[in-house]
Amino acid sequence: MEQAAVQARADIATAIIASGLADQPVTHLVEGAMQRLVSAGVPLDRMQVGFRILHPLFDGMSITWTDTAGVEVSYYEKIDVDGSSFRLSPFYYMLGNGLSELRLRIDSDETVARYPLLTELKARGFTDYLAMIVSFGDAPMTPETHQGLGTSWSTRSPSGFSNSDIAAMRQVLSPLALALRVVIKDQITRNALNTFHGPLIGGRILSGLIKRGAGERLAAALWYSDLRNSTGLADALPVEAFLDLLNVYFDCAAGAVMDEGGQVLDIIGDAILAFFPSSGVNGPGEAEACAAALRAAASAHARLAELKAEGNARAASIAFGIGIHFGDVVFGNAGTAERLKFGIIGRSVNEVERTAEMAKLLKREVVVSDAAASRLARPLESEGLFGRLHLADLGEHELRGIPSVRRLWALDRARN
């Protein structure tokens, strides 16, 4: 009997490793592992694994499996503040006291009252709880480290976990932690690439397009915004206040681009370069790419106006102009062998920057090149969030560094 149980546990560990090698989604990996444990006779009703992540918005992530809901993924902010769920968890106690395992009978141990999670589990009929921590590397985990993960295993069985059950969970923990470690590192890599380069470039880097000179030529609607009076603001404000102001501006401008399906390619000081591809990389048609860029421009200024109406102190000092152009660009990477940059290059990039300059000179919020305006299927109109919009002809103008004059248009609210 014991030999059969040992073999069953070994089979579960082998299946977990196979799932990890197959690069299955983490939800499938965890679901499969828990179902195999239950099928082997372990009275498991809940399992949770938690770990820190490198992410601009979140500090931690958990994967929770229950017999009723399956697998759920959650993200957590500010886990290092007093009163956070992490600070009030058994994991925090274990990490602070150098413990790799903690067993508590939820239905009878008085120390359960110290932990809100265990109090909740007790109210839901759980009886037994086992927490185990796995460190990555030679050094033990601490409350601040990213090098490891914590797991907890709970049951509603009146008799709790048997010694055989605990042996089974211990045996599958190592292969499970190894598979999850690969997933965690992959997610950290994706988060870092997407945060600093955007999902399009991040995805291309991960897909292997990292050779110097790798790229393609494509047509796109280009979008360039520039904060007004940035030098004066930087001189007048403390560093933290100026960075806070920049983040408000980026939320308005870059946030609007991403909501419309555009790609923020670069943040150059206080300027934003983005594009809406109409060819290659599964881009839409030319008219829709230009319309999406215009909608993003209208949305960016609407967001700022809303913040000002709400009395946001940082928004009150913000003004920015946007230039929109359509043209061919080279989308790829260039640089030295040791330092490459993935982005778009070409004459059209220069032209959209000069178009944005004209927004300042002509005292307009959004200036659109004739190349972009002429590709719209019909005049841009919206009765939704932004009110009725239209393009006003600004005539022909010289753009700095551009050899011939260009007809420009302004994105305006229509006057009744």
Side-chain angles (χ1 to χ4, degrees), residues 244-416:
D244 189 29
L245 181 146
L246 283 178
N247 285 330
V248 172
Y249 156 59
F250 291 141
D251 283 342
C252 291
V257 167
M258 292 185 288
D259 281 355
E260 288 294 339
Q263 299 287 332
V264 175
L265 295 177
D266 211 350
I267 295 177
I268 312 150
D270 56 64
I272 299 168
L273 174 63
F275 82 146
F276 297 76
S278 68
S279 64
V281 293
N282 300 318
E286 295 181 357
E288 174 52 32
C290 291
L294 291 170
R295 289 195 300 268
S299 175
H301 283 290
R303 292 178 180 212
L304 179 61
E306 183 176 352
L307 290 175
K308 289 183 176 181
E310 293 171 354
N312 184 292
R314 297 289 175 243
S317 302
I318 295 174
F320 57 91
I322 298 171
I324 296 173
H325 179 54
F326 188 92
D328 291 335
V329 294
V330 174
F331 180 57
N333 63 57
T336 70
E338 295 80 17
R339 177 65 174 88
L340 296 174
K341 181 176 181 179
F342 212 131
I344 56 173
I345 54 178
R347 185 175 62 184
S348 294
V349 177
N350 294 331
E351 191 153 342
V352 74
E353 293 180 16
R354 304 298 179 258
T355 303
E357 287 181 2
M358 296 305 296
K360 180 178 181 180
L361 293 173
L362 299 174
K363 296 180 170 54
R364 298 283 186 163
E365 291 182 342
V366 182
V367 170
V368 183
S369 74
D370 194 58
S374 64
R375 281 173 167 81
L376 292 170
R378 56 186 179 276
L380 181 71
E381 294 181 354
S382 172
E383 300 292 352
L385 175 64
F386 317 121
R388 192 175 182 87
L389 301 169
H390 81 292
L391 292 177
D393 190 349
L394 297 176
E396 293 183 337
H397 295 268
E398 292 185 354
L399 276 62
R400 182 170 62 89
I402 305 299
S404 57
V405 295
R406 294 287 192 268
R407 181 173 294 279
L408 301 177
W409 302 76
L411 182 63
D412 284 342
R413 295 185 182 276
R415 298 177 177 85
N416 294 326

